[in-house]
């Protein structure tokens, strides 16, 4: 029995040392020390032995069991360590690699330009007001001195919802609303940025929906020079301090006199280039002195008060400011385009 135990020990030792996975190790364990093993069989036959033999075999079997259990334990630890080392090797992180840049959202260029315009006028004491995008024919046209025969009132040009209601074709409707809302008929200065709608076919320079900023100042002794000074500041703020402006006589039913304002071309500084079509000037907005009829329509005494007004397209300013040649880029949310306006990265 002693030899048999020695044999078991040697064989098990050999198998354990050449084993390198946990499942095989468990099999070895039950093969040599488990219930059906030769070792257990020897143990159960002990009763037939003499006292002397019992002691000898008993101590040998204890030695073998302790020895094998230790071997098994060490082997198991070795297997687990190897596995862990391999895993760590695989998951290794190279901390010297540059990190990925996390991108966060940015304000849309149209929003940035609108806010820039708002900031300028707020700094000059203007209120910023908001109005509905669906308005009445009266506010959009009638009270703005647009005669019924005016082409802008043609249903072909505006999105009418009912006979009386339409998507506002310009923010000028807010002139009427703000003057009517001013019950005390006190002087005021305001701008109104917002969306506007016209029945245009969408292309590189037209969109059925766009945005404008309306400006309106009403008070005593307001003159054309106030309008000029204000718009000159506006042009310099939006397009650079070296810009000049010029007024061209024009016609809008709600202003008298009316003007279109050009800014000196920033591509060529008035020499003439493709951007200004060789003229040296770029048209940026419409403006004028508020027509007496409009003041009266909205409850302001035109013999006491005067006003100036202007309307500027936010898309147009944005396109000119950033050299964007296709209006659609401002509406299609292409990340490759929008990321150029990330102020944080500039
Ligand atoms: N409402 C005009 C447009 O949409 C722009 C405009 C012109 C607004 C002259 C004004 C103004 O306030 O005085 O084309």
């Amino acid at each position: 029995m002693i030899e048999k135990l020695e044999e078991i020990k040697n064989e098990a030792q050999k198998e354990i040392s050449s084993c390198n996975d946990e499942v095989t190790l468990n099999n070895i364990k039950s093969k040599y020390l488990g219930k059906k093993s030769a070792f257990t069989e020897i143990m159960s036959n002990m009763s037939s032995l003499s006292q002397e033999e019992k002691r000898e075999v008993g101590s040998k079997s204890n030695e073998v069991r302790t020895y094998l259990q230790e071997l098994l334990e060490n082997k198991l630890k070795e297997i687990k360590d190897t596995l862990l080392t391999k895993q760590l090797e695989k998951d290794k992180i190279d901390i010297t690699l540059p990190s990925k840049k996390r991108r966060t959202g940015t304000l849309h260029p149209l929003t940035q330009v609108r806010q820039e315009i708002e900031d300028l006028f707020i700094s000059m004491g203007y209120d910023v007001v908001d109005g509905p995008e669906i308005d009445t024919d009266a506010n959009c046209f009638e009270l703005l001195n647009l005669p019924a025969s005016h082409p802008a009132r043609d249903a072909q040009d505006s999105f009418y919802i009912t006979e009386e209601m339409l998507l506002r074709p310009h923010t000028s409707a807010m002139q009427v609303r703000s003057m009517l809302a001013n019950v005390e008929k006190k002087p005021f200065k305001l701008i109104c940025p917002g969306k506007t709608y016209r029945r245009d076919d969408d292309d590189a320079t037209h969109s059925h929906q766009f945005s404008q900023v309306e400006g309106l100042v009403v008070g005593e002794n307001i003159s054309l020079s106030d309008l000029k000074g204000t718009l000159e500041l506006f042009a310099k703020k939006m397009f650079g301090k070296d810009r000049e402006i010029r007024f061209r006589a024009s016609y809008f039913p709600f202003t008298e006199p009316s003007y279109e304002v050009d800014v000196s071309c920033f591509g060529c500084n008035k020499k003439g280039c493709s951007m200004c079509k060789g003229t040296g000037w770029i048209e940026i907005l419409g403006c004028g002195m508020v027509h007496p009829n409009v003041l009266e329509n909205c409850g302001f005494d035109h013999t006491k008060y005067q006003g100036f007004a202007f309307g500027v397209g936010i898309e147009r300013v944005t396109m000119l400011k950033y050299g964007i040649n296709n209006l659609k880029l401002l509406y299609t949310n292409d990340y490759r385009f929008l990321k150029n306006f990330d102020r944080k990265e500039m």
Side-chain angles (χ1 to χ4, degrees), residues 170 172 175 198 212 214 252 254-255 286-288 309-311:
H170 53 184
S172 302
Q175 290 193 24
R198 281 184 207 168
Q212 291 186 328
E214 192 76 14
F252 298 104
F254 29 91
T255 41
C287 65
F310 58 88

Side-chain angles (χ1 to χ4, degrees), residues 144 169-173 175 196 198 210 212-216 227 251-252 254-255 257-259 285-290 308-312:
L144 279 173
H170 53 184
T171 45
S172 302
Q175 290 193 24
T196 47
R198 281 184 207 168
F210 55 105
Q212 291 186 328
V213 177
E214 192 76 14
L216 176 64
L227 174 61
Y251 170 75
F252 298 104
F254 29 91
T255 41
S258 301
Y259 301 94
L285 55 83
C287 65
M289 300 305 291
V290 181
F308 68 71
F310 58 88
V312 54

Side-chain angles (χ1 to χ4, degrees), residues 161-172:
I161 294 163
T162 65
E163 288 235 323
E164 186 44 33
M165 304 299 290
L166 67 154
L167 292 176
R168 66 178 176 196
H170 53 184
T171 45
S172 302

Side-chain angles (χ1 to χ4, degrees), residues 16 24-34 37 69 72:
I16 293 170
T24 317
L25 193 69
N26 277 335
N27 290 340
I28 297 172
K29 188 178 177 179
S30 54
K31 177 175 169 193
Y32 289 100
L33 298 175
S37 63
Q69 274 172 345
L72 284 162

Side-chain angles (χ1 to χ4, degrees), residues 47-102:
S47 52
S48 61
L49 298 177
S50 71
Q51 210 58 18
E52 177 74 4
E53 284 168 330
K54 260 187 200 161
R55 209 174 325 113
E56 245 179 84
V57 174
S59 103
K60 183 69 184 171
S61 61
N62 272 347
E63 178 212 309
V64 171
R65 185 173 38 222
T66 317
Y67 178 74
L68 288 183
Q69 274 172 345
E70 217 168 279
L71 269 190
L72 284 162
E73 247 170 63
N74 290 345
K75 191 66 183 184
L76 184 66
K77 189 169 177 303
E78 189 189 309
I79 291 170
K80 284 191 170 164
D81 282 352
T82 322
L83 214 68
L84 185 66
T85 317
K86 267 192 199 152
Q87 190 66 26
L88 287 176
E89 193 63 36
K90 218 169 75 191
D91 292 350
K92 205 163 153 190
I93 297 166
D94 184 354
I95 56 164
T96 64
L97 279 176
S99 65
K100 272 190 194 152
K101 239 186 197 168
R102 269 175 196 268

Side-chain angles (χ1 to χ4, degrees), residues 239-251:
F239 302 113
K241 60 179 175 22
D242 298 329
R243 301 279 57 83
E244 292 167 40
I245 55 168
R246 75 174 184 190
F247 277 52
R248 261 185 304 109
S250 184
Y251 170 75

